[in-house]
Amino acid sequence: MTDLLKSSLTRRTVLQAGAVGAVGISPALRAAVYAQGSDAPEKKEVKIGFIPLTDCASVVMASVLGIDKKYGVTILPSKEASWAGVRDKLVNGELDFAHVLYGLIYGVHMGTAGPKKDMAVLMTLNNNGQAITLSRKIADKGAVDGAGLARLMASEKREYTFAQTFPTGTHAMWLYYWMAANGIDPMKDAKVITVPPPQMVANMRVGNMDGFCVGEPWGHRAIIDGIGVPAVTTQDIWKDHPEKVLGTTAEFTRKYPNTARAVTAAILEAGKWIDASLANKQKMAETIAEKSYVNTSVDAINQRILGRYQNGMGKTWDDPNYMKFFNDGAVNFPYLSDGMWFITQHKRWGLIKEHPDYLAVAKQINQIDIYKQAATAAKVSVPRDVMRTSKMIDGVVWDGKEPKKYADSFKIHA
């Protein structure tokens, strides 16, 4: 942006920019306004909460690489213990932003995930890269995939326990969707508990659960440690699904719009950096494996970041739909249809009782305008449509067009 500023900063453009204001002006004029400081971030330092997971990487790398400074902010990553803790700190203002579950933000906004508060999604941080892992104990009895699990649960009757990371979050929704697609009712046929991501492996090791859905590196960690088998990846449930988002409160975006834009641009650029080369991915893995971030071995992170999968039972494969942080900008746009999908699943599983105005809620939460401004600053292209079409593991297509009908269409529901 520096060259653009130098070339654009004529007296005339500055005067024009001052008269028009920062909203709705051309990139050249906007650059002039940035230079004058009227569009500078209102908060120079921001605290961003994260959970120790591979997909916190773009938040961490924006800080470590100093990309944040380029946009006039300093990101202070704050390691958090649980999603409930992230929620509480976002709501009470202890955190400015968070690397957070898509469905958590929607749950808080709609009052189904604890305290109700108007929330905001600024961008999607990553697609893909989560997994449902079954314990080695039941895998040895044939439960290595959905069909095998269904057969075992039908033939060997007992209470089966599965864990997700937050009741309205992504992992709960992937787990429920996958189980139901295999004829298992997650509400009636199993006990589902909530466990923070870093505690999943330890809980499976002592026999507290038969399976879990969590973000990396904890699925791969269970395989390395010989206690789990991957039943399905989340990209097999929904290719290029939205996962973590950059979340904040609606109040923050109103009070500090320039800061929200600057932070979004910095993290967008960091995601672009990660996806740019194998060397960058390796450096990212080495960085976030450190104790202050994810606190695990580099090999627990870097294999799945490169799409190299193994099941701990002799099978290996390369997955082209591994965790992505940018993918030419396709990852990051906060599609309204993505947000709406989570509401349809919350309705399906009884987390909300009535059909809301799905589109209106998504428009309230997903900050399309701020994202577009950030994308312009980071020189990232933006898709034309705020909706996208996705095909799920059961063949059902979601396009955001008839959310009420879609939410009511599932045979297995609460």
Side-chain angles (χ1 to χ4, degrees):
M1 225 164 129
T2 312
D3 293 336
L4 178 61
L5 290 179
K6 286 176 182 172
S7 62
S8 303
L9 201 52
T10 65
R11 186 170 182 274
R12 185 177 176 187
T13 54
V14 171
L15 290 173
Q16 283 177 320
V20 178
V23 180
I25 62 178
S26 72
L29 284 178
R30 181 177 293 283
V33 179
Y34 287 157
Q36 288 305 288
S38 60
D39 235 12
E42 304 87 353
K43 283 192 82 167
K44 304 301 180 190
E45 258 189 15
V46 292
K47 194 172 177 183
I48 306 186
F50 72 92
I51 292 286
L53 291 161
T54 302
D55 50 30
C56 75
S58 55
V59 171
V60 170
M61 296 313 292
S63 170
V64 170
L65 296 171
I67 297 170
D68 51 354
K69 308 291 192 300
K70 176 178 171 181
Y71 294 95
V73 289
T74 298
I75 290 172
L76 305 173
S78 175
K79 189 172 180 175
E80 305 298 332
S82 70
W83 291 122
V86 169
R87 172 201 62 197
D88 294 344
K89 289 182 179 183
L90 268 181
V91 167
N92 69 24
E94 284 181 67
L95 293 172
D96 297 310
F97 304 87
H99 148 259
V100 66
L101 299 161
Y102 214 131
L104 183 152
I105 295 292
Y106 271 70
V108 172
H109 187 90
M110 300 183 73
T112 53
K116 188 178 190 305
K117 192 175 180 82
D118 288 348
M119 301 299 286
V121 165
L122 293 162
M123 65 181 286
T124 304
L125 294 175
N126 68 296
N127 288 167
N128 308 327
Q130 324 293 295
I132 295 172
T133 302
L134 299 177
S135 76
R136 193 62 186 254
K137 186 176 161 187
I138 66 168
D140 289 341
K141 294 181 178 182
V144 295
D145 55 19
L149 178 64
R151 283 194 299 271
L152 180 65
M153 289 176 73
S155 64
E156 197 174 295
K157 299 284 188 185
R158 64 172 174 83
E159 184 177 72
Y160 288 81
T161 301
F162 298 89
Q164 40 77 15
T165 62
F166 190 81
T168 64
T170 52
H171 302 112
M173 298 307 113
W174 311 141
L175 179 65
Y176 298 166
Y177 201 100
W178 174 76
M179 291 176 83
N182 285 283
I184 303 164
D185 187 330
M187 302 294 139
K188 295 174 183 169
D189 300 337
K191 178 184 177 185
V192 180
I193 60 174
T194 302
V195 174
Q199 296 175 27
M200 285 292 190
V201 176
N203 274 276
M204 183 172 274
R205 185 177 283 112
V206 298
N208 287 348
M209 60 183 76
D210 296 289
F212 61 68
C213 184
V214 73
E216 292 301 340
W218 305 118
H220 191 47
R221 182 81 257 166
I223 294 153
I224 292 173
D225 293 355
I227 61 170
V229 172
V232 68
T233 64
T234 51
Q235 54 265 31
D236 285 336
I237 298 171
W238 174 358
K239 180 188 168 186
D240 294 336
H241 67 78
E243 181 51 45
K244 305 303 185 302
V245 295
L246 180 63
T248 186
T249 61
E251 180 185 11
F252 189 97
T253 63
R254 286 193 298 268
K255 197 171 177 183
Y256 308 112
N258 298 347
T259 309
R261 183 192 60 245
V263 170
T264 303
I267 295 172
L268 190 52
E269 189 169 323
K272 184 179 184 178
W273 178 88
I274 292 167
D275 277 9
S277 71
L278 292 176
N280 289 2
K281 288 175 183 175
Q282 181 64 23
K283 183 177 178 183
M284 176 273 280
E286 290 167 2
T287 302
I288 68 166
E290 292 171 11
K291 192 172 182 180
S292 52
Y293 302 117
V294 179
N295 191 23
T296 191
S297 59
V298 176
D299 66 330
I301 294 171
N302 65 7
Q303 292 304 297
R304 289 196 170 181
I305 277 295
L306 300 173
R308 294 171 189 156
Y309 281 75
Q310 53 111 343
N311 70 351
M313 300 174 81
K315 181 186 174 187
T316 61
W317 70 99
D318 288 334
D319 188 339
N321 304 311
Y322 52 86
M323 187 185 294
K324 291 171 185 173
F325 293 89
F326 182 65
N327 194 18
D328 294 329
V331 167
N332 311 106
F333 188 77
Y335 289 99
L336 297 181
S337 53
D338 286 359
M340 291 164 68
W341 185 85
F342 287 101
I343 316 175
T344 68
Q345 299 307 296
H346 293 171
K347 175 67 175 70
R348 176 185 182 181
W349 301 117
L351 295 165
I352 52 177
K353 303 304 175 194
E354 305 296 329
H355 288 288
D357 184 333
Y358 291 89
L359 183 57
V361 174
K363 283 180 175 177
Q364 287 166 14
I365 298 173
N366 289 26
Q367 305 295 306
I368 302 279
D369 288 345
I370 292 176
Y371 178 83
K372 285 180 175 177
Q373 292 165 14
T376 298
K379 298 182 176 64
V380 172
S381 60
V382 174
R384 291 178 187 174
D385 202 341
V386 295
M387 301 284 196
R388 63 173 178 151
T389 301
S390 308
K391 189 176 184 180
M392 305 295 171
I393 193 172
D394 52 7
V396 177
V397 173
W398 165 246
D399 59 11
K401 286 175 183 166
E402 294 185 272
K404 183 178 176 182
K405 183 179 175 184
Y406 177 83
D408 288 341
S409 69
F410 297 98
K411 191 169 80 173
I412 297 178
H413 56 86

